[in-house]
Amino acid sequence: MGTAGDLDDSRRQVVYHPERVGHVASTDYPGVYPGEDNSWDLEKFKEKLVVQVQRLSEKTVELDLVGVDASIANALRRILLAEVPAMAIEDVYIFNNTSVIHDEILAQRLGLVPLSIDPRALDMRGPDGPTDRDCIVFKLEVTCTYNPKSVQGEVDPSKRYRNPNVYSRDLVFAPQGDQAERFKEYPPRPANGNILLAKLRPGQTIETEIHAQKGIGSLHAKWSPVVPSLREATASYRLLPHIIIRKPIPPRLCDKFAQCFSPGVIRVTQNGAGEKEVTVANPRNESMSREVYRHAEFEGMVDLTRIRDFFLFSIETAGAYPPQDLFPESIRIMRSKIQTLKYAAEKLKTPLEDDAMES
């Protein structure tokens, strides 16, 4: 793995002007610069490639991907959204529903609950119907009754009734086959147990059996491992902001200059002579608002750019995968697609070679 390289290389910079963006096209291909061989080379690619995790939490990973074209970064993002498999509720069998919510609406709400189930432990649904190798079963059985311990005149439903609300945490895993042993360490469950599914009142009951199966986001967004129906998570990237101070900022304008950028981007300090000066402290936080271009006193003193091949990825899991596993999964799927394309190209090439030999 290489290093981030020279950020001041103008060939790598997308330039922000007051009213437009310039230098947006990549130029690292043969024939652009006379006398230079910019043909793709594996060893050069390895030298420039950088993948570095900047922050990792229970739900989110932020990482840098440096040295690849935007087409590659965007392909990985789209694979994360649409082709990395996840588990979601597909079949809902309603045996009894006396709540005010119609069966179809209840089934739709259940189908959009993100699940914390590792899809790598299960197969895609086959033509023979559900089995313990491709299906996870949940039970949802909730009945609302009066709370005999509530005081007279109580108006709070949570105190006056028992089970007045049906939450996603009420889904109970019902193991099939050897699933109890296979999922003993991490039993299947909703990723968020506080999703409200329905409200009940005394005498109302919901009794269902729910089947979850493996799928991909291109079929339905509920199968996307990073974009659940509640829009809590996503997968995105942006280019690294790069701020170039061309001329020293006058000390009397340093504070005003710092306020033209996002908080924490510009640091105002004092030099040895006791005068204020500015430095770029954390360009990652910059929103590229171009506020500094609105002030005539800063004209020609600063350039705003982004680094064309420096991608700041932010990936938030919906619960099916640990966040650090999502990016490698997208790479694995991309490699599989490339292998399929390579095999198809070789199959096309073989008949052409046979025809040439016969002629």
Side-chain angles (χ1 to χ4, degrees), residues 115-128:
L115 302 176
S116 182
I117 306 172
D118 190 343
R120 293 167 291 191
L122 294 155
D123 301 327
M124 287 288 190
R125 175 72 64 86
D128 300 330

Side-chain angles (χ1 to χ4, degrees), residues 244-276:
I244 306 171
I245 299 177
R246 299 294 186 185
K247 298 178 182 179
I249 308 300
R252 61 184 175 83
L253 297 176
C254 285
D255 290 329
K256 182 177 181 180
F257 182 82
Q259 292 172 1
C260 293
F261 298 87
S262 301
V265 173
I266 300 296
R267 179 183 295 124
V268 179
T269 58
Q270 288 189 340
N271 57 23
E275 296 181 333
K276 290 183 177 180

Side-chain angles (χ1 to χ4, degrees), residues 211-330:
H211 291 186
Q213 69 180 55
K214 190 174 180 178
I216 56 177
S218 60
L219 298 176
H220 194 287
K222 67 182 180 181
W223 276 302
S224 178
V226 293
V227 187
S229 59
L230 301 180
R231 300 298 177 187
E232 290 180 343
T234 188
S236 63
Y237 66 78
R238 59 191 179 95
L239 298 180
L240 175 72
H242 184 52
I243 302 168
I244 306 171
I245 299 177
R246 299 294 186 185
K247 298 178 182 179
I249 308 300
R252 61 184 175 83
L253 297 176
C254 285
D255 290 329
K256 182 177 181 180
F257 182 82
Q259 292 172 1
C260 293
F261 298 87
S262 301
V265 173
I266 300 296
R267 179 183 295 124
V268 179
T269 58
Q270 288 189 340
N271 57 23
E275 296 181 333
K276 290 183 177 180
E277 62 180 10
V278 298
T279 56
V280 181
N282 190 0
R284 292 172 180 266
N285 291 345
E286 176 54 26
S287 64
M288 304 299 280
S289 66
R290 292 181 271 194
E291 171 69 19
V292 70
Y293 286 154
R294 296 181 63 248
H295 304 278
E297 56 267 38
F298 299 129
E299 185 175 353
M301 292 185 177
V302 61
D303 286 340
L304 302 181
T305 69
R306 288 186 185 270
I307 307 304
R308 181 179 292 107
D309 62 349
F310 200 126
F311 301 92
L312 310 181
F313 267 85
S314 177
I315 304 170
E316 188 174 356
T317 180
Y321 296 85
Q324 65 271 20
D325 290 355
L326 282 167
F327 197 71
E329 277 294 307
S330 69

Side-chain angles (χ1 to χ4, degrees), residues 16 63 113 182-183 314 317 323 340:
Y16 278 61
L63 58 92
V113 173
R182 288 164 55 202
F183 295 100
S314 177
T317 180
T340 301

Side-chain angles (χ1 to χ4, degrees), residues 89 91-96 110 135-141 174 176 206-212:
I89 292 170
D91 300 317
V92 178
Y93 301 95
I94 300 177
F95 305 124
N96 190 13
L110 286 167
C135 180
I136 296 293
V137 178
F138 292 96
K139 300 283 188 179
L140 179 62
E141 298 175 356
Q176 308 295 311
I206 292 178
E207 182 182 355
T208 68
E209 181 174 299
I210 300 161
H211 291 186

Side-chain angles (χ1 to χ4, degrees), residues 122 132-133 135-137 173-188:
L122 294 155
D132 62 333
R133 294 296 168 178
C135 180
I136 296 293
V137 178
F173 172 49
Q176 308 295 311
D178 63 348
Q179 289 180 350
E181 182 64 27
R182 288 164 55 202
F183 295 100
K184 180 169 66 173
E185 189 173 355
Y186 298 104

